Amino acid sequence: MAPQSRVAPTMGGASHVIARDERYGEVTDDDVRHFVRCVGGDAAGVVVSTSATATNSKAADGAGDALDKYNVDWMGKYHGRSRVAVLPKTTKELSAIMSRCHARNLAVVPQGGNTGLVGGGVPAYDEVVVNLGRMNAIVSIDEDAGVSVVEAGVVLEELESAVRARGMTVPLDLGAKGKCQMGGCVSTNAGGLRLLRYGSLRGSVLGLEIVLANGEVLDLLRTLRKDNTGYDLKQLFIGAEGTLGIVTKIAILTPRAPTNVNVALFGLDSFASCVELLKLARGRLGEILSAFEFFDRESLDLVLEQLKGTRDPLAKPCPFYVVVETSGSVKSHDNAKLQAFLKIVKNKRVIVDGVVGKDEKHAFALWTLRERISVALKYAGAVYKYDISLPTARMYNLVTTLRARLAPQFGSGVKVLGYGHLGDGNLHLNISCAEYTDALERAIEPFVYEYTRDERGSVSAEHGLGIMKAEEIIYSKDAKAVELMGAMKRALDPRGILNPYKVLPAATRVAALIPMSRL
Amino acid sequence: MAPQSRVAPTMGGASHVIARDERYGEVTDDDVRHFVRCVGGDAAGVVVSTSATATNSKAADGAGDALDKYNVDWMGKYHGRSRVAVLPKTTKELSAIMSRCHARNLAVVPQGGNTGLVGGGVPAYDEVVVNLGRMNAIVSIDEDAGVSVVEAGVVLEELESAVRARGMTVPLDLGAKGKCQMGGCVSTNAGGLRLLRYGSLRGSVLGLEIVLANGEVLDLLRTLRKDNTGYDLKQLFIGAEGTLGIVTKIAILTPRAPTNVNVALFGLDSFASCVELLKLARGRLGEILSAFEFFDRESLDLVLEQLKGTRDPLAKPCPFYVVVETSGSVKSHDNAKLQAFLKIVKNKRVIVDGVVGKDEKHAFALWTLRERISVALKYAGAVYKYDISLPTARMYNLVTTLRARLAPQFGSGVKVLGYGHLGDGNLHLNISCAEYTDALERAIEPFVYEYTRDERGSVSAEHGLGIMKAEEIIYSKDAKAVELMGAMKRALDPRGILNPYKVLPAATRVAALIPMSRL
């Protein structure tokens, strides 16, 4: 018997009790032998749990198990109990693996670099882990066309290095770049730091190759910038978090890299000033504005406290900070634009103080203060993470409102931090504390979701829904939309074997499942 | 009886014999009275054919009929025989109209500005025309957020004027801007002249309101730049040409307008030089490059011949021309970048000659030479139009190959012209002739489609498939993809009443239809 139900008190925002759906099959030794044949007998292609009773006991929580790295997410919040991870090297191998899973009604969780924040890439129970890490070839880089084709397991930073060598850049950058894989980025529609400049992956991704739930290969891999022949099916798989198919190859625009990058950090005395600064940056920096990020003093304090080698960037503390990046092709022009911008924001007293990165190292240090907040939060203890889109001008109200809500009950041991992609209207709201407690969670949720709904915002701007927010979709999408998503799911994965328990609410999702007995 | 079958010898590329599907109902006087009630008795909201026998006779081809403007496309290629056009003023009215059509199994064609090139916006037979022209309110323009919300019937140029007044621009520009409607632009995923700069509508459109086939309203109207809560359903409706739902409202990014625009026109002696010029422009003009368009001498000759007031832009004729546009925020910087670019392309002898627009009027005159080729073609007689994505460097080979193929049989009376969006890999291939003939069409098709397939190109880069290329989708999409599109169609429009005969091949499409007798 697999575990019947699962409460995850350590999951920070995912305390829904969900039960393993007994309509799925359980992985047998026969299945494992079949998987080994699928990968041509390559021992590195199938990793089996070293805890003998892994599939049969609640007690086997896999300490020191060979599958730990596949079963547990990087934050240590989400713990699956899968018995086997497969690591195909080709689309054909994956296709054979999925055929088997489909025929046997085995649930599957597609996994990339395992850097997600919502538990979308690790098993909820005993799903077969399909890790794409060994499909990591860069297939082609076309400098003339500005298009690259990669396998899903290519790490973002590796692609960036490869295209940089030819004067190009990946139109996507995020903190996890050293580990996250391109397939995962596409499957989560990752946003990150360059969205302001290059737009979303929905425009940058030109083509995809997909392995469907039943093992069929869907070839949407084109390198054309324009193609209006029928419905753009690839869009369904971008951001579907592996619930509709498994991304195996990606064609993506890799535009010319900017030859000149400037970074400036500003201190401001109110959030309203941050918004005013954004307006001025859009107008004055125009086509060279490439990032506009903000964080509050509470976030900076945590970075300074947790991370060695960081230091206060300005003479006096300010309640708010903004990092502005410009990217252009002529250094003197960029510098002139930046200087003109600095002059105006000083004269208008929009900023309290500011500093421009004087060389690459200094610029990197300024960026680090913003980029490493997430790591500082991890070091500091437990953290409830929310990733929210809100109307830009009112975005920070949620932080102050939540502080006022939590302070009386929880005091100074609970810190509410706000930072994020201000230029995209995207707030990262983080509640840092010693440990996860039901009382604290109840004080945060569903309050945060209701607040966001009332502002017509999104309860997941860029992190996705995963297992953490599958039920919370209703705060951002109306019932008809969720119903239609269920129809898409049933059309593409009629047996519901792809990444179950995630993205869609149980009531929508489970209708797709066929009981084992009827197969 | 409605006409049983329909050969359209005048359709330039759509000579498939298609039959009216008798499973659809026919519009009755009762339906018309019901539609009048749906629009609150407003006489302007329902236009009925003035040819008494319009629905019952092949002879009634509608000369001088009140429905001509709805039944016939702007090129005069596609002639429908609809008996009624409805023009709702609100989503609620449209919803009531669709409920009726759904219940009665009446086929419907959604229609915008009727500027399409593939017959997607006019009836094939007697479909009810739903024209969005009276839903033409600009709902909101948010200058701070850079987002506008409009009803589907707003004309592109009107939105551009409205946002320009606030320092913003629409990230879309095309020849038909004075007539095409935003709903039509979204439904055809229009590309146009600014795609190079702002990317496709798949990134720029933030939200949609849709009326579904059964009259239900699907509210995906959000103004957030980022939202990863479930599948991005709105992408299905972008470019679906009205076959999955009717777009009624649109939220679209309206970025800050450039304050400084330069236009230059170059003459070149080979297509390879055009491609070389593009590479240099990408590198040297970088972030201010906003358009890169090419046309051949044959296209220019036609413009000079057909359009009053145009003149040869350079001292000597060249075989190829390129129009480059830059858009930036600081005039002196833009001018310096353009001058540096000019110097390099002269020194490297990439160009033969060139001219920079010395003022707005001159710049407009240069643009006109490229923008009005399509109008010149219309004046010149019959024209077979193809809109193709191909690998940029080899794009023009199709033009020379087709010329060599047609010349022996058809001589100089048939002209093959090539122009288009070189920066996007998008060729507009046009065959200009005195009249449409079967012999000429057979010499062009399926040759052009096969050639494109062999290059892994797209048989419709931006025009869509409509009725002209519904069967040709197979040249750009594999069988599995087309099958899944059919599944999407059945999920969203189970009775198949939305814009039948279009986009998908008959074999895929008709499975969705339910015979009247079984309703």
Side-chain angles (χ1 to χ4, degrees):
Chain A
M1 285 287 293
Q4 287 301 306
S5 75
R6 175 166 182 269
V7 187
T10 62
M11 278 160 63
S15 62
H16 303 288
V17 179
I18 50 168
R20 180 186 187 283
D21 198 309
E22 294 304 324
R23 289 173 292 188
Y24 293 116
E26 289 182 36
V27 174
T28 63
D29 293 343
D30 249 10
D31 292 320
V32 172
R33 280 190 291 271
H34 188 90
F35 293 147
V36 171
R37 283 196 298 277
C38 289
V39 298
D42 179 354
V46 179
V47 182
V48 180
S49 170
T50 42
S51 311
T53 54
T55 56
N56 295 320
S57 160
K58 283 190 190 185
D61 69 356
D65 191 285
L67 276 198
D68 279 1
K69 61 185 279 203
Y70 306 103
N71 267 328
V72 184
D73 78 307
W74 74 280
M75 299 178 297
K77 267 190 194 170
Y78 302 95
H79 298 255
R81 297 165 186 279
S82 181
R83 189 188 161 186
V84 63
V86 294
L87 294 93
K89 288 196 93 166
T90 65
T91 300
K92 202 174 164 191
E93 289 179 5
L94 176 56
S95 172
I97 291 162
M98 289 307 299
S99 293
R100 174 75 177 196
C101 293
H102 191 251
R104 289 264 303 118
N105 225 32
L106 299 177
V108 167
V109 55
Q111 186 176 74
N114 193 0
T115 62
L117 295 166
V118 291
V122 289
Y125 292 98
D126 56 348
E127 299 95 295
V128 175
V129 177
V130 170
N131 186 294
L132 279 293
R134 299 208 309 162
M135 289 184 65
N136 59 356
I138 294 177
V139 178
S140 65
I141 298 177
D142 184 338
E143 205 176 319
D144 292 344
V147 178
S148 299
V149 178
V150 297
E151 288 185 338
V154 169
V155 169
L156 171 55
E157 201 165 56
E158 284 167 16
L159 178 59
E160 179 69 19
S161 302
V163 301
R164 275 279 166 172
R166 302 182 193 202
M168 294 183 284
T169 188
V170 183
L172 175 72
D173 186 20
L174 56 155
K177 60 190 153 203
K179 202 176 166 219
C180 69
Q181 297 171 9
M182 292 303 296
C185 290
V186 168
S187 296
T188 57
N189 188 28
L193 304 166
R194 289 186 189 155
L195 190 129
L196 185 72
R197 175 63 174 269
Y198 297 110
S200 89
L201 288 179
R202 299 199 175 277
S204 303
V205 171
L206 301 183
L208 294 177
E209 181 191 78
I210 309 280
V211 172
L212 296 169
N214 64 0
E216 280 186 280
V217 178
L218 177 61
D219 177 10
L220 305 170
L221 195 68
R222 293 290 188 284
T223 56
L224 309 167
R225 282 166 191 260
K226 293 163 82 171
D227 178 19
N228 277 351
T229 53
Y231 315 145
D232 191 3
L233 294 176
K234 73 173 184 292
Q235 298 289 345
L236 279 172
F237 302 96
I238 299 175
E241 303 181 46
T243 60
L244 298 180
I246 303 179
V247 172
T248 47
K249 289 197 188 81
I250 300 151
I252 185 169
L253 285 174
T254 40
R256 201 139 284 278
T259 50
N260 185 49
V261 176
N262 286 315
V263 177
L265 181 144
F266 301 100
L268 304 95
D269 61 10
S270 71
F271 184 74
S273 293
C274 299
V275 176
E276 177 65 19
L277 192 69
L278 173 61
K279 264 202 265 186
L280 289 167
R282 284 219 173 99
R284 297 285 165 167
L285 297 172
E287 64 274 13
I288 64 166
L289 179 64
S290 59
F292 194 101
E293 298 285 314
F294 96 102
F295 49 96
D296 57 17
R297 180 70 205 183
E298 289 77 359
S299 300
L300 180 60
D301 281 340
L302 201 78
V303 169
L304 299 178
E305 181 186 305
Q306 297 289 340
L307 303 178
K308 266 193 198 168
T310 53
R311 60 180 197 83
D312 216 322
L314 301 175
K316 278 191 288 191
C318 293
F320 292 94
Y321 297 87
V322 163
V323 175
V324 172
E325 186 193 78
T326 67
S327 304
S329 59
V330 177
K331 192 173 176 131
S332 60
H333 295 171
D334 293 5
N335 291 350
K337 285 188 181 84
L338 187 58
Q339 289 307 321
F341 173 67
L342 291 175
K343 198 172 160 189
I344 281 171
V345 300
K346 274 184 212 164
N347 287 350
K348 290 198 169 196
R349 296 179 194 278
V350 178
I351 60 167
V352 175
D353 196 2
V355 55
V356 177
K358 58 182 186 290
D359 52 31
E360 214 168 302
K361 197 181 155 193
H362 188 204
F364 181 79
L366 296 177
W367 252 127
T368 293
L369 297 175
R370 160 65 189 89
E371 273 207 272
R372 302 201 72 208
I373 297 169
S374 169
V375 175
L377 277 161
K378 193 185 170 189
Y379 291 169
V383 55
Y384 292 87
K385 299 183 87 72
Y386 302 90
D387 165 42
I388 290 173
S389 280
L390 287 170
T392 306
R394 296 194 299 274
M395 182 196 281
Y396 201 74
N397 292 356
L398 174 54
V399 179
T400 49
T401 305
L402 190 63
R403 267 186 203 140
R405 182 181 168 88
L406 300 182
Q409 194 182 345
F410 300 96
S412 62
V414 169
K415 288 176 193 154
V416 181
L417 279 59
Y419 63 96
H421 315 292
L422 188 61
D424 309 322
N426 183 184
L427 171 72
H428 291 320
L429 171 72
N430 284 256
I431 298 95
S432 178
C433 50
E435 54 179 359
Y436 300 106
T437 67
D438 285 352
L440 180 53
E441 186 175 323
R442 276 196 307 270
I444 304 170
E445 296 182 23
F447 172 78
V448 165
Y449 297 128
E450 287 168 354
Y451 184 102
T452 304
R453 176 197 60 203
D454 295 346
E455 287 272 27
R456 282 183 76 81
S458 170
V459 297
S460 181
E462 59 176 13
H463 293 172
L465 297 169
I467 199 164
M468 175 181 173
K469 292 188 270 194
E471 300 294 331
E472 277 66 27
I473 193 172
I474 54 163
Y475 291 103
S476 290
K477 292 282 157 70
D478 70 14
K480 185 70 199 172
V482 177
E483 180 197 321
L484 286 177
M485 289 182 205
M488 300 298 116
K489 172 74 175 171
R490 287 189 291 281
L492 284 159
D493 177 20
R495 295 189 180 178
I497 62 169
L498 278 171
N499 220 4
Y501 317 108
K502 293 164 191 167
V503 181
L504 297 181
T508 307
R509 202 171 55 213
V510 294
L513 278 176
I514 303 163
M516 266 304 270
S517 57
R518 275 202 251 146
L519 283 178
Chain B
M1 286 288 292
Q4 287 301 306
S5 76
R6 175 167 182 266
V7 188
T10 62
M11 278 160 63
S15 62
H16 304 288
V17 179
I18 50 168
R20 180 187 187 280
D21 197 309
E22 293 304 324
R23 289 173 293 185
Y24 293 117
E26 288 182 37
V27 174
T28 63
D29 293 343
D30 248 10
D31 292 320
V32 173
R33 280 189 292 270
H34 188 90
F35 293 147
V36 171
R37 282 196 298 276
C38 289
V39 298
D42 179 352
V46 178
V47 181
V48 180
S49 169
T50 41
S51 309
T53 54
T55 55
N56 294 319
S57 161
K58 284 191 188 183
D61 69 356
D65 192 285
L67 276 197
D68 279 0
K69 61 186 278 202
Y70 306 102
N71 268 327
V72 184
D73 78 306
W74 73 279
M75 298 179 295
K77 266 189 193 170
Y78 302 95
H79 297 255
R81 295 167 187 277
S82 180
R83 186 188 164 185
V84 63
V86 293
L87 294 93
K89 288 195 94 166
T90 66
T91 300
K92 202 173 161 190
E93 288 179 4
L94 177 56
S95 172
I97 291 163
M98 289 308 298
S99 294
R100 173 75 177 197
C101 292
H102 192 250
R104 290 263 302 120
N105 224 32
L106 299 176
V108 167
V109 54
Q111 185 176 75
N114 193 359
T115 62
L117 294 166
V118 292
V122 289
Y125 292 98
D126 56 348
E127 300 96 293
V128 173
V129 177
V130 170
N131 186 293
L132 279 294
R134 299 207 309 163
M135 289 184 65
N136 59 355
I138 294 176
V139 179
S140 65
I141 297 176
D142 184 336
E143 204 175 320
D144 292 344
V147 178
S148 299
V149 178
V150 297
E151 288 184 337
V154 169
V155 169
L156 172 54
E157 200 166 57
E158 283 167 16
L159 178 59
E160 178 69 19
S161 302
V163 301
R164 275 277 165 171
R166 301 181 194 205
M168 294 182 286
T169 187
V170 183
L172 175 72
D173 187 19
L174 56 153
K177 60 190 154 201
K179 201 176 167 217
C180 69
Q181 297 172 9
M182 291 304 296
C185 290
V186 168
S187 296
T188 56
N189 187 29
L193 305 165
R194 288 184 191 157
L195 190 128
L196 185 72
R197 174 63 174 271
Y198 297 110
S200 89
L201 288 178
R202 299 199 174 278
S204 303
V205 171
L206 301 182
L208 293 177
E209 180 190 81
I210 308 280
V211 172
L212 295 168
N214 63 0
E216 280 186 279
V217 178
L218 177 62
D219 177 9
L220 305 170
L221 195 68
R222 292 291 188 284
T223 56
L224 310 167
R225 282 166 192 261
K226 291 163 82 170
D227 177 20
N228 277 351
T229 53
Y231 316 143
D232 191 1
L233 294 176
K234 71 172 184 292
Q235 298 289 346
L236 279 173
F237 302 97
I238 299 175
E241 305 180 46
T243 61
L244 298 179
I246 302 179
V247 173
T248 47
K249 289 197 189 78
I250 300 151
I252 185 168
L253 286 174
T254 40
R256 202 141 283 280
T259 50
N260 185 49
V261 176
N262 286 315
V263 176
L265 181 144
F266 301 100
L268 304 96
D269 60 12
S270 71
F271 185 73
S273 293
C274 299
V275 175
E276 177 66 19
L277 191 71
L278 173 61
K279 266 203 263 186
L280 290 167
R282 284 217 172 98
R284 298 285 164 167
L285 298 173
E287 64 274 11
I288 63 166
L289 179 63
S290 59
F292 194 101
E293 299 284 315
F294 96 103
F295 50 94
D296 56 17
R297 179 69 205 186
E298 289 77 0
S299 300
L300 180 59
D301 280 341
L302 201 76
V303 169
L304 299 179
E305 182 186 304
Q306 297 290 337
L307 302 178
K308 266 192 199 171
T310 54
R311 60 181 196 83
D312 216 323
L314 302 175
K316 276 191 291 189
C318 291
F320 292 94
Y321 297 87
V322 163
V323 175
V324 171
E325 187 194 77
T326 67
S327 304
S329 60
V330 177
K331 191 173 176 130
S332 61
H333 295 171
D334 294 4
N335 291 350
K337 286 188 181 85
L338 187 57
Q339 289 306 321
F341 172 68
L342 290 176
K343 199 171 160 188
I344 281 170
V345 300
K346 272 184 211 162
N347 287 350
K348 291 198 169 195
R349 297 180 194 278
V350 178
I351 60 167
V352 175
D353 195 2
V355 55
V356 176
K358 58 182 187 291
D359 54 31
E360 214 168 300
K361 197 181 154 193
H362 188 203
F364 181 80
L366 296 177
W367 252 128
T368 294
L369 297 175
R370 159 65 187 89
E371 272 207 273
R372 303 201 72 206
I373 298 170
S374 169
V375 175
L377 278 161
K378 193 186 169 191
Y379 290 170
V383 56
Y384 292 87
K385 298 183 89 71
Y386 301 90
D387 165 41
I388 290 172
S389 280
L390 287 170
T392 306
R394 295 195 299 274
M395 182 196 279
Y396 200 74
N397 292 356
L398 174 55
V399 179
T400 48
T401 305
L402 190 63
R403 266 185 203 139
R405 182 181 167 87
L406 299 183
Q409 194 182 346
F410 301 96
S412 63
V414 170
K415 289 177 194 155
V416 181
L417 278 60
Y419 62 96
H421 314 292
L422 189 62
D424 309 321
N426 183 183
L427 171 71
H428 292 320
L429 171 72
N430 285 256
I431 297 95
S432 178
C433 49
E435 56 180 357
Y436 301 107
T437 67
D438 285 351
L440 180 52
E441 187 174 321
R442 277 196 306 270
I444 304 170
E445 293 181 28
F447 172 77
V448 165
Y449 297 128
E450 287 168 354
Y451 184 102
T452 303
R453 176 197 62 205
D454 295 346
E455 287 272 26
R456 282 183 78 80
S458 170
V459 298
S460 180
E462 61 175 11
H463 293 171
L465 296 169
I467 199 164
M468 175 180 172
K469 292 187 269 193
E471 300 295 331
E472 277 67 27
I473 193 172
I474 54 162
Y475 291 103
S476 290
K477 292 283 157 68
D478 70 14
K480 185 69 198 171
V482 176
E483 180 195 322
L484 287 177
M485 289 182 204
M488 300 298 117
K489 172 73 175 172
R490 285 188 291 281
L492 285 159
D493 178 20
R495 295 189 181 177
I497 62 169
L498 277 171
N499 219 4
Y501 317 107
K502 292 164 191 167
V503 181
L504 297 180
T508 307
R509 201 170 58 213
V510 293
L513 277 176
I514 303 162
M516 267 303 272
S517 56
R518 277 201 252 146
L519 284 178

